[in-house]
Amino acid sequence: DADVTQTPRNRITKTGKRIMLECSQTKGHDRMYWYRQDPGLGLRLIYYSFDVKDINKGEISDGYSVSRQAQAKFSLSLESAIPNQTALYFCATSDPLGGGYTFGSGTRLTVV
Amino acid sequence: AQSVAQPEDQVNVAEGNPLTVKCTYSVSGNPYLFWYVQYPNRGLQFLLKYITGDNLVKGSYGFEAEFNKSQTSFHLKKPSALVSDSALYFCAVRDPMEYGNKLVFGAGTILRVKS
């Protein structure tokens, strides 16, 4: 099994619909992150969490919410999807000792 | 706040030639620096990192990067490019003094290696 698993891999949804992207990890790390990738913009941080009671906004949190259900699970929700939220979404986890991130395979979301 | 610049949208090299993908950064303290690679329809894979110590770091698939503090650069290099190196490369920086352990990414550089 992958260290970081994201579901679904691909999703097409309609404007105004609520959608949840799920992420689970087996690394045993406390720190989890949600990024979105857009062409020419790289990856931008949406939300991050250090434990189930510690949720923090990133640079582009508007229109998104998250839930940390357990150490291993971190979900991203779009309450009312809009077309400019069409992007590739990545979940990641990191250790606290200075290492890099371990990324999931991504969720490609299209809002029509 | 930290930032990363990858000045080239795309780098083209011939197979067998050396390659360089450029990265400059801005951070208030001592940086932690990373390179990731993304192949089509895949997630990001870790290549290498600089935390402290030797300025030349070696990573996966024959890649290396040199940390240059005076020029605030962390260029990715490989002595002999392969067609299979063609991918999207991201440089990232983290400020260890800043709360959140957050990585800030550059916009990415597409590497095309032609046979």
Side-chain angles (χ1 to χ4, degrees):
Chain A
D1 289 342
D3 292 329
V4 181
T5 302
Q6 291 184 236
T7 56
R9 290 296 306 273
N10 293 281
R11 180 73 181 268
I12 300 174
T13 191
K14 293 183 178 180
T15 297
K17 292 291 187 181
R18 183 180 189 276
I19 182 169
M20 178 182 288
L21 309 183
E22 299 189 354
C23 175
S24 62
Q25 53 106 351
T26 58
K27 300 283 285 185
H29 294 161
D30 291 325
R31 302 177 181 204
M32 297 188 74
Y33 306 81
W34 275 104
Y35 283 83
R36 67 176 276 177
Q37 181 184 1
D38 298 280
L41 295 178
L43 279 78
R44 292 179 292 166
L45 182 63
I46 306 172
Y47 271 96
Y48 62 103
S49 168
F50 284 3
D51 65 39
V52 294
K53 297 181 181 179
D54 183 353
I55 305 291
N56 303 277
K57 292 182 177 180
E59 62 177 306
I60 54 163
S61 59
D62 288 348
Y64 301 95
S65 62
V66 291
S67 173
R68 186 79 183 267
Q69 301 95 324
Q71 184 203 39
K73 296 183 181 296
F74 192 37
S75 302
L76 175 72
S77 293
L78 287 68
E79 297 301 325
S80 179
I82 56 176
N84 77 358
Q85 291 177 313
T86 293
L88 185 56
Y89 290 84
F90 286 105
C91 176
T93 183
S94 77
D95 69 71
L97 301 178
Y101 290 2
T102 301
F103 284 88
S105 297
T107 294
R108 186 169 297 280
L109 177 66
T110 303
V111 183
V112 297
Chain B
Q2 60 266 43
S3 65
V4 175
Q6 293 181 242
E8 302 154 317
D9 293 335
Q10 184 166 317
V11 171
N12 298 310
V13 298
E15 187 174 32
N17 283 1
L19 70 87
T20 298
V21 183
K22 296 180 180 178
C23 171
T24 59
Y25 66 89
S26 174
V27 67
S28 57
N30 293 318
Y32 289 7
L33 293 157
F34 304 83
W35 276 101
Y36 287 85
V37 59
Q38 184 180 32
Y39 297 101
N41 301 313
R42 303 284 295 276
L44 277 75
Q45 297 179 28
F46 170 79
L47 276 180
L48 51 79
K49 66 180 178 183
Y50 172 82
I51 303 297
T52 187
D54 194 344
N55 289 344
L56 182 65
V57 293
K58 295 186 183 296
S60 306
Y61 312 122
F63 284 94
E64 59 188 29
E66 186 166 13
F67 170 62
N68 187 318
K69 188 172 183 178
S70 63
Q71 297 185 3
T72 62
S73 68
F74 190 56
H75 301 331
L76 181 69
K77 300 182 179 184
K78 187 173 183 181
S80 179
L82 300 173
V83 172
S84 58
D85 292 330
S86 299
L88 178 59
Y89 289 81
F90 289 101
C91 181
V93 66
R94 182 186 141 215
D95 183 348
M97 301 304 293
E98 185 173 293
Y99 179 80
N101 202 33
K102 295 172 286 184
L103 278 182
V104 174
F105 288 83
T109 299
I110 297 170
L111 173 66
R112 296 201 191 281
V113 182
K114 296 184 178 180
S115 59

